[in-house]
Amino acid sequence: MSKEQKQTRPIHFLTASLLGMGILIVGLFALLASFMNKKSRETIEEVGRMYMNGMNEQITLHFETVISLRLSQVSSIVETILPDSDTREKVCEDLAYNAEVRGFEYLALYSPDGRLEMLYGDPLEILDPEPFLESLAGSEQKIAAAENDAGHGVILLGVPGKYHMSDGEESAALVAGLSVEYMRSVLFLNEEGDNLVDSFIIRKDGSYVIRKGRTLRESYFEVFNAVLESQKSGNAGKYIEE
């Protein structure tokens, strides 16, 4: 081996070592970057889930609190104004007055066969009357969704109460109503300043009772199907059943 070869051999070895070390460092940084990106995505998803769960719990508890308060108000009217305390006309006037001062927008007597006799407010149509009637007939308090003649949504709160109706029949319940707009304003107090989350209260069939958002679809399940189809995440039926 010549003298020149002996001199260049360490240089070649050092060059190869530095090159190998450089490749190793680049590989390690690439792996680290990939790992950090994965962890960042997982962290963001977890934060998102925690935020959505927190929002859902907050809105649910708020809704339950408002409904419980309003049901107790209707119940107090039934307990305070007895059906035979005065003439039928005076009893109906007292019922209407007590409901109005509590901020209810509708009041009606509900017959055992499911007819609403309005004491004040526009005529209403209950959207799913069977469970509502069944619960009230069983002496349970119940809420239901309804619509007025203009097609505007109304939340009905029914409390068992026996009052004389205009046809001589005895009512099964006293029913008070609040507009969906009122309920939305109560539930989504920061609606104008919060555009990050669309919030809904839905029926079992996916149709909206109350919604805060810009969706044009008539059913939440339609929105759910569209999202899963766009993400190619499989059949939405399983998730809808859950």
Coordinates of all heavy atoms in Angstrom, one line a residue, residues 130-211:
E130 N -98.8 10.4 20.6 CA -99.1 9.1 21.3 C -98.3 9.1 22.6 O -98.9 8.8 23.7 CB -98.8 7.9 20.4 CG -99.9 7.7 19.4 CD -99.7 8.6 18.1 OE1 -98.6 9.2 18.1 OE2 -100.5 8.6 17.3
P131 N -97.0 9.2 22.6 CA -96.2 9.2 23.9 C -96.6 10.2 24.9 O -96.7 10.0 26.1 CB -94.8 9.3 23.4 CG -94.7 9.0 22.0 CD -96.1 9.4 21.5
F132 N -97.0 11.4 24.3 CA -97.4 12.5 25.2 C -98.7 12.2 25.9 O -98.8 12.3 27.2 CB -97.6 13.8 24.3 CG -97.8 15.1 25.1 CD1 -96.8 15.5 26.0 CD2 -98.9 15.8 24.9 CE1 -97.0 16.7 26.7 CE2 -99.1 17.0 25.6 CZ -98.1 17.4 26.5
L133 N -99.7 11.7 25.2 CA -101.0 11.3 25.7 C -100.8 10.2 26.7 O -101.4 10.1 27.8 CB -102.0 11.0 24.6 CG -103.4 10.6 25.1 CD1 -104.0 11.7 25.9 CD2 -104.2 10.2 23.8
E134 N -100.0 9.2 26.3 CA -99.9 8.0 27.2 C -99.3 8.4 28.5 O -99.7 7.9 29.6 CB -99.0 7.0 26.5 CG -98.8 5.7 27.2 CD -97.9 4.7 26.5 OE1 -97.6 4.9 25.3 OE2 -97.5 3.7 27.1
S135 N -98.2 9.2 28.5 CA -97.6 9.6 29.8 C -98.6 10.4 30.7 O -98.6 10.2 31.9 CB -96.3 10.4 29.5 OG -95.4 9.6 28.8
L136 N -99.3 11.4 30.1 CA -100.2 12.2 30.8 C -101.4 11.4 31.4 O -101.8 11.6 32.5 CB -100.7 13.3 30.0 CG -99.6 14.4 29.6 CD1 -100.2 15.4 28.6 CD2 -99.1 15.1 30.8
A137 N -101.8 10.4 30.6 CA -102.9 9.5 31.1 C -102.4 8.7 32.2 O -103.2 8.2 33.1 CB -103.4 8.6 29.9
G138 N -101.1 8.4 32.3 CA -100.5 7.7 33.4 C -100.1 8.5 34.5 O -99.3 8.1 35.4
S139 N -100.6 9.8 34.6 CA -100.3 10.7 35.7 C -98.8 11.1 35.7 O -98.3 11.4 36.8 CB -100.7 10.2 37.0 OG -102.1 9.9 37.0
E140 N -98.1 11.1 34.6 CA -96.8 11.5 34.5 C -96.7 12.9 33.8 O -97.5 13.3 33.0 CB -95.9 10.6 33.7 CG -95.9 9.2 34.2 CD -95.1 8.2 33.3 OE1 -94.5 8.7 32.3 OE2 -95.1 7.0 33.6
Q141 N -95.7 13.7 34.2 CA -95.4 14.9 33.5 C -94.6 14.6 32.2 O -93.9 13.6 32.2 CB -94.5 15.9 34.4 CG -95.2 16.3 35.7 CD -94.4 17.2 36.5 OE1 -93.3 17.5 36.2 NE2 -95.0 17.7 37.6
K142 N -94.8 15.4 31.2 CA -94.3 15.1 29.9 C -94.0 16.3 29.1 O -94.8 17.3 29.2 CB -95.2 14.1 29.1 CG -94.6 13.5 27.9 CD -93.5 12.5 28.1 CE -93.1 11.9 26.8 NZ -92.0 10.9 27.0
I143 N -93.0 16.3 28.2 CA -92.8 17.4 27.2 C -93.0 16.8 25.8 O -92.8 15.6 25.6 CB -91.4 18.1 27.4 CG1 -90.3 17.1 27.0 CG2 -91.3 18.6 28.8 CD1 -89.0 17.8 26.9
A144 N -93.3 17.7 24.9 CA -93.5 17.3 23.5 C -93.3 18.4 22.6 O -93.3 19.6 23.0 CB -95.0 16.7 23.3
A145 N -93.0 18.1 21.3 CA -92.8 19.2 20.3 C -94.1 19.4 19.6 O -94.9 18.4 19.3 CB -91.7 18.7 19.4
A146 N -94.4 20.6 19.2 CA -95.6 20.9 18.5 C -95.3 22.1 17.5 O -94.2 22.6 17.5 CB -96.7 21.4 19.5
E147 N -96.3 22.4 16.7 CA -96.2 23.5 15.7 C -97.5 24.3 15.8 O -98.6 23.8 16.0 CB -96.0 23.0 14.3 CG -94.6 22.5 14.0 CD -94.4 22.1 12.6 OE1 -95.5 22.1 11.8 OE2 -93.3 21.8 12.2
N148 N -97.3 25.7 15.6 CA -98.5 26.5 15.5 C -99.0 26.6 14.1 O -98.4 26.0 13.2 CB -98.3 27.9 16.2 CG -97.2 28.7 15.5 OD1 -96.8 28.3 14.3 ND2 -96.7 29.7 16.1
D149 N -100.0 27.4 13.8 CA -100.6 27.5 12.5 C -99.6 28.0 11.5 O -99.7 27.7 10.3 CB -101.8 28.4 12.5 CG -103.0 27.7 13.1 OD1 -103.0 26.5 13.3 OD2 -104.0 28.4 13.4
A150 N -98.6 28.8 11.9 CA -97.6 29.4 11.0 C -96.4 28.4 10.8 O -95.5 28.7 10.1 CB -97.1 30.7 11.6
G151 N -96.5 27.2 11.4 CA -95.4 26.3 11.3 C -94.2 26.5 12.2 O -93.2 25.9 12.0
H152 N -94.4 27.4 13.1 CA -93.3 27.6 14.1 C -93.3 26.6 15.2 O -94.3 26.2 15.7 CB -93.4 29.1 14.7 CG -93.3 30.1 13.6 ND1 -94.0 31.3 13.7 CD2 -92.6 30.2 12.5 CE1 -93.7 32.1 12.6 NE2 -92.9 31.4 11.9
G153 N -92.1 26.2 15.6 CA -92.0 25.2 16.6 C -92.3 25.6 18.0 O -92.1 26.8 18.4
V154 N -92.9 24.7 18.8 CA -93.3 25.0 20.2 C -92.9 23.8 21.0 O -93.1 22.7 20.6 CB -94.8 25.3 20.3 CG1 -95.3 25.5 21.7 CG2 -95.2 26.5 19.4
I155 N -92.4 24.1 22.2 CA -92.2 23.1 23.2 C -93.3 23.0 24.2 O -93.6 24.1 24.9 CB -90.8 23.3 24.0 CG1 -89.7 23.4 23.0 CG2 -90.6 22.2 25.0 CD1 -89.4 22.2 22.2
L156 N -94.0 21.9 24.3 CA -95.1 21.8 25.2 C -94.7 21.1 26.5 O -93.9 20.1 26.5 CB -96.3 21.0 24.5 CG -97.0 21.6 23.3 CD1 -98.1 20.7 22.8 CD2 -97.5 23.0 23.7
L157 N -95.3 21.5 27.6 CA -95.0 20.9 28.9 C -96.4 20.6 29.5 O -97.2 21.5 29.8 CB -94.3 21.9 29.8 CG -92.9 22.4 29.3 CD1 -93.1 23.8 28.7 CD2 -91.9 22.5 30.3
G158 N -96.6 19.3 29.7 CA -97.9 18.8 30.2 C -97.8 18.3 31.6 O -96.9 17.6 32.0
V159 N -98.8 18.7 32.5 CA -98.9 18.2 33.8 C -100.3 17.7 34.1 O -101.2 18.4 33.7 CB -98.5 19.4 34.8 CG1 -98.8 18.9 36.3 CG2 -97.1 19.8 34.7
P160 N -100.5 16.5 34.6 CA -101.8 16.0 34.8 C -102.7 17.0 35.6 O -102.2 17.6 36.6 CB -101.6 14.7 35.6 CG -100.2 14.3 35.2 CD -99.4 15.6 35.0
G161 N -103.9 17.3 35.2 CA -104.8 18.2 35.8 C -106.2 18.0 35.3 O -106.4 18.0 34.1
K162 N -107.1 17.9 36.2 CA -108.5 17.6 35.8 C -109.3 18.9 35.9 O -109.7 19.4 37.0 CB -109.1 16.5 36.6 CG -108.4 15.2 36.5 CD -109.1 14.1 37.3 CE -108.3 12.8 37.2 NZ -108.3 12.3 35.8
Y163 N -109.6 19.5 34.7 CA -110.4 20.8 34.7 C -111.6 20.5 33.7 O -111.5 19.7 32.8 CB -109.6 21.9 34.2 CG -108.5 22.4 35.2 CD1 -107.2 21.9 35.1 CD2 -108.8 23.2 36.2 CE1 -106.2 22.2 36.0 CE2 -107.8 23.6 37.1 CZ -106.5 23.1 37.0 OH -105.5 23.5 37.9
H164 N -112.6 21.3 33.9 CA -113.8 21.2 33.1 C -113.6 21.9 31.8 O -113.2 23.0 31.7 CB -115.0 21.9 33.8 CG -115.3 21.3 35.1 ND1 -115.7 20.0 35.3 CD2 -115.3 21.9 36.4 CE1 -115.9 19.8 36.6 NE2 -115.6 20.9 37.3
M165 N -113.8 21.1 30.7 CA -113.6 21.6 29.3 C -114.9 22.2 28.8 O -116.0 22.0 29.5 CB -113.0 20.5 28.4 CG -111.7 20.0 28.9 SD -111.0 18.7 27.8 CE -110.5 19.7 26.4
S166 N -114.9 22.9 27.7 CA -116.1 23.5 27.2 C -117.2 22.6 26.8 O -118.4 22.9 26.8 CB -115.7 24.4 26.0 OG -115.2 23.6 25.0
D167 N -116.8 21.3 26.5 CA -117.9 20.3 26.1 C -118.4 19.5 27.3 O -119.1 18.6 27.1 CB -117.3 19.4 25.0 CG -116.1 18.7 25.4 OD1 -115.6 18.8 26.6 OD2 -115.5 17.9 24.6
G168 N -117.9 19.9 28.5 CA -118.4 19.2 29.7 C -117.4 18.1 30.1 O -117.6 17.5 31.2
E169 N -116.5 17.7 29.2 CA -115.6 16.6 29.5 C -114.5 17.1 30.5 O -114.3 18.3 30.6 CB -114.9 16.2 28.2 CG -114.1 14.9 28.3 CD -113.5 14.4 27.0 OE1 -113.5 15.2 26.0 OE2 -113.0 13.3 27.0
E170 N -113.9 16.2 31.2 CA -112.8 16.5 32.1 C -111.5 16.3 31.5 O -111.2 15.3 30.8 CB -112.9 15.6 33.4 CG -112.1 16.1 34.5 CD -112.3 15.2 35.8 OE1 -112.0 14.0 35.7 OE2 -112.8 15.7 36.8
S171 N -110.6 17.3 31.6 CA -109.3 17.3 31.0 C -108.4 16.3 31.6 O -108.6 15.9 32.8 CB -108.7 18.7 31.0 OG -108.3 19.0 32.4
A172 N -107.4 15.8 30.9 CA -106.4 14.9 31.4 C -105.2 15.7 32.0 O -104.5 15.2 32.8 CB -106.0 13.9 30.4
A173 N -105.0 16.9 31.4 CA -103.8 17.6 31.8 C -103.9 19.1 31.4 O -104.8 19.5 30.6 CB -102.6 17.0 31.1
L174 N -103.1 19.9 32.1 CA -102.9 21.3 31.7 C -101.6 21.4 30.9 O -100.6 20.8 31.4 CB -102.8 22.2 32.9 CG -102.7 23.7 32.7 CD1 -103.9 24.3 32.0 CD2 -102.3 24.4 34.0
V175 N -101.6 22.0 29.8 CA -100.5 22.0 28.9 C -100.1 23.5 28.6 O -100.9 24.3 28.1 CB -100.8 21.3 27.5 CG1 -99.6 21.4 26.6 CG2 -101.1 19.8 27.8
A176 N -98.8 23.8 28.9 CA -98.3 25.1 28.6 C -97.2 25.0 27.5 O -96.6 24.0 27.4 CB -97.7 25.7 29.9
G177 N -97.0 26.1 26.8 CA -96.1 26.1 25.7 C -95.1 27.2 25.7 O -95.5 28.4 26.0
L178 N -93.9 26.9 25.2 CA -92.9 28.0 24.9 C -92.4 27.8 23.5 O -92.2 26.7 23.0 CB -91.7 27.8 25.9 CG -92.0 27.9 27.4 CD1 -90.9 27.4 28.2 CD2 -92.2 29.4 27.7
S179 N -92.1 28.9 22.9 CA -91.6 28.9 21.5 C -90.2 28.3 21.5 O -89.4 28.4 22.4 CB -91.6 30.3 20.9 OG -90.6 31.1 21.5
V180 N -89.9 27.6 20.3 CA -88.6 27.1 20.1 C -87.5 28.2 20.1 O -86.4 28.0 20.6 CB -88.5 26.3 18.8 CG1 -87.1 26.1 18.4 CG2 -89.3 25.0 18.9
E181 N -87.9 29.4 19.6 CA -87.0 30.5 19.6 C -86.6 30.9 21.1 O -85.5 31.2 21.3 CB -87.7 31.7 18.9 CG -87.8 31.6 17.4 CD -86.5 31.3 16.8 OE1 -85.5 32.0 17.1 OE2 -86.4 30.5 15.8
Y182 N -87.6 30.9 22.0 CA -87.3 31.2 23.4 C -86.3 30.1 23.9 O -85.3 30.5 24.6 CB -88.5 31.2 24.2 CG -88.3 31.1 25.7 CD1 -87.9 32.3 26.4 CD2 -88.3 29.9 26.4 CE1 -87.7 32.2 27.8 CE2 -88.1 29.8 27.7 CZ -87.7 31.0 28.4 OH -87.5 30.9 29.8
M183 N -86.6 28.9 23.7 CA -85.7 27.8 24.2 C -84.3 27.9 23.6 O -83.3 27.7 24.3 CB -86.3 26.4 23.9 CG -87.6 26.1 24.6 SD -87.3 26.1 26.4 CE -86.1 24.8 26.6
R184 N -84.2 28.3 22.3 CA -82.9 28.4 21.7 C -82.1 29.5 22.4 O -80.9 29.4 22.6 CB -83.0 28.6 20.2 CG -81.7 28.8 19.5 CD -81.8 28.6 18.0 NE -82.9 29.2 17.4 CZ -83.7 28.7 16.5 NH1 -83.4 27.5 16.0 NH2 -84.7 29.4 16.0
S185 N -82.8 30.6 22.6 CA -82.1 31.8 23.3 C -81.6 31.4 24.7 O -80.6 31.9 25.1 CB -83.0 33.0 23.3 OG -84.1 32.8 24.2
V186 N -82.4 30.6 25.4 CA -82.0 30.2 26.7 C -80.8 29.2 26.7 O -79.9 29.3 27.5 CB -83.2 29.6 27.4 CG1 -82.8 28.9 28.8 CG2 -84.3 30.6 27.7
L187 N -80.9 28.2 25.8 CA -79.9 27.2 25.7 C -78.5 27.7 25.1 O -77.5 27.3 25.6 CB -80.4 26.0 24.9 CG -81.5 25.2 25.5 CD1 -82.0 24.2 24.5 CD2 -81.1 24.6 26.8
F188 N -78.6 28.5 24.1 CA -77.4 28.9 23.4 C -77.2 30.4 23.6 O -77.4 31.2 22.7 CB -77.5 28.6 21.9 CG -78.0 27.2 21.6 CD1 -79.1 27.0 20.8 CD2 -77.3 26.1 22.2 CE1 -79.5 25.7 20.6 CE2 -77.7 24.8 21.9 CZ -78.8 24.6 21.1
L189 N -76.8 30.8 24.8 CA -76.7 32.2 25.2 C -75.7 32.9 24.4 O -75.8 34.1 24.1 CB -76.4 32.3 26.7 CG -77.5 31.7 27.6 CD1 -77.0 31.8 29.1 CD2 -78.8 32.5 27.5
N190 N -74.6 32.3 24.0 CA -73.5 32.9 23.2 C -73.6 32.6 21.8 O -72.6 32.4 21.1 CB -72.2 32.6 23.8 CG -71.9 31.1 23.8 OD1 -72.9 30.3 23.7 ND2 -70.7 30.7 23.9
E191 N -74.8 32.4 21.2 CA -74.9 31.9 19.9 C -74.2 32.8 18.8 O -73.6 32.3 17.9 CB -76.4 31.8 19.5 CG -76.7 31.2 18.1 CD -78.2 30.9 17.9 OE1 -79.0 31.2 18.8 OE2 -78.5 30.5 16.8
E192 N -74.4 34.1 19.0 CA -73.8 35.0 18.0 C -72.3 35.0 18.0 O -71.6 35.2 17.0 CB -74.3 36.5 18.3 CG -75.8 36.6 18.0 CD -76.2 38.1 18.2 OE1 -75.3 38.9 18.6 OE2 -77.4 38.3 18.1
G193 N -71.7 34.8 19.2 CA -70.2 34.8 19.3 C -69.6 33.5 19.1 O -68.3 33.4 19.1
D194 N -70.3 32.4 19.0 CA -69.7 31.0 19.0 C -70.1 30.4 17.7 O -71.2 29.8 17.5 CB -70.2 30.2 20.2 CG -69.6 28.8 20.2 OD1 -68.7 28.6 19.4 OD2 -70.0 28.0 21.1
N195 N -69.2 30.4 16.7 CA -69.5 29.7 15.4 C -68.7 28.4 15.2 O -68.6 27.9 14.1 CB -69.1 30.7 14.3 CG -69.9 32.0 14.3 OD1 -71.1 31.9 14.5 ND2 -69.3 33.1 14.1
L196 N -68.1 27.9 16.3 CA -67.3 26.7 16.2 C -68.1 25.5 16.3 O -67.7 24.5 15.8 CB -66.2 26.7 17.4 CG -65.2 27.9 17.4 CD1 -64.3 27.7 18.6 CD2 -64.4 27.8 16.1
V197 N -69.2 25.5 16.9 CA -70.0 24.3 17.2 C -71.5 24.6 16.8 O -72.1 25.6 17.1 CB -70.0 24.0 18.7 CG1 -70.8 22.7 19.0 CG2 -68.6 23.7 19.2
D198 N -72.0 23.6 16.0 CA -73.4 23.5 15.7 C -74.1 22.6 16.7 O -73.6 21.4 16.9 CB -73.7 23.0 14.3 CG -73.2 24.0 13.3 OD1 -73.0 25.2 13.6 OD2 -73.0 23.7 12.1
S199 N -75.1 23.0 17.4 CA -75.7 22.2 18.5 C -77.2 22.0 18.1 O -77.9 22.9 17.6 CB -75.7 23.0 19.8 OG -74.3 23.3 20.1
F200 N -77.6 20.8 18.4 CA -79.0 20.4 18.1 C -79.6 19.6 19.2 O -78.9 18.9 20.0 CB -79.0 19.5 16.8 CG -78.2 20.0 15.7 CD1 -77.0 19.3 15.4 CD2 -78.6 21.1 15.0 CE1 -76.2 19.8 14.4 CE2 -77.8 21.6 14.0 CZ -76.6 20.9 13.6
I201 N -80.9 19.7 19.4 CA -81.7 18.7 20.1 C -82.6 18.0 19.1 O -83.4 18.7 18.4 CB -82.5 19.4 21.2 CG1 -81.6 20.0 22.3 CG2 -83.5 18.5 21.9 CD1 -82.2 20.8 23.3
I202 N -82.6 16.7 19.1 CA -83.3 16.0 18.0 C -84.3 15.0 18.6 O -84.2 14.6 19.8 CB -82.3 15.3 17.1 CG1 -81.5 14.2 17.9 CG2 -81.4 16.2 16.4 CD1 -80.6 13.3 17.0
R203 N -85.2 14.5 17.8 CA -86.1 13.4 18.2 C -85.4 12.1 17.8 O -84.4 12.1 17.2 CB -87.4 13.6 17.4 CG -88.1 14.9 17.7 CD -89.5 15.0 16.9 NE -90.1 16.3 17.0 CZ -89.8 17.3 16.2 NH1 -89.0 17.1 15.1 NH2 -90.4 18.5 16.3
K204 N -86.1 11.0 18.1 CA -85.5 9.7 17.8 C -85.4 9.5 16.3 O -84.5 8.7 15.9 CB -86.4 8.6 18.5 CG -86.3 8.6 20.0 CD -87.1 7.4 20.5 CE -87.0 7.4 22.0 NZ -87.8 6.2 22.6
D205 N -86.2 10.1 15.5 CA -86.1 9.9 14.1 C -85.1 10.8 13.4 O -84.9 10.8 12.2 CB -87.5 10.1 13.4 CG -88.0 11.5 13.6 OD1 -87.3 12.3 14.2 OD2 -89.1 11.8 13.1
G206 N -84.4 11.7 14.2 CA -83.4 12.5 13.7 C -83.8 13.9 13.3 O -83.0 14.8 13.0
S207 N -85.2 14.2 13.3 CA -85.7 15.5 13.0 C -85.4 16.4 14.2 O -85.2 16.0 15.3 CB -87.2 15.4 12.8 OG -87.9 14.9 13.9
Y208 N -85.2 17.7 13.8 CA -84.8 18.7 14.8 C -86.0 19.2 15.7 O -87.1 19.5 15.2 CB -84.2 19.9 14.1 CG -83.0 19.6 13.3 CD1 -83.0 19.6 11.9 CD2 -81.8 19.3 14.0 CE1 -81.8 19.3 11.2 CE2 -80.6 19.0 13.2 CZ -80.7 19.0 11.8 OH -79.5 18.7 11.1
V209 N -85.7 19.3 17.0 CA -86.6 20.1 17.9 C -86.1 21.5 18.0 O -86.8 22.4 17.9 CB -86.6 19.4 19.3 CG1 -87.5 20.2 20.2 CG2 -87.2 18.0 19.1
I210 N -84.8 21.6 18.3 CA -84.1 22.9 18.4 C -82.8 22.7 17.8 O -82.1 21.7 17.9 CB -83.9 23.3 19.9 CG1 -85.2 23.4 20.7 CG2 -83.2 24.6 20.0 CD1 -85.1 23.6 22.1
R211 N -82.4 23.7 17.0 CA -81.1 23.7 16.3 C -80.4 25.0 16.4 O -81.0 26.1 16.2 CB -81.2 23.2 14.9 CG -82.0 24.0 14.0 CD -81.9 23.5 12.6 NE -83.1 23.3 11.9 CZ -83.3 22.8 10.7 NH1 -82.3 22.6 9.9 NH2 -84.5 22.6 10.2

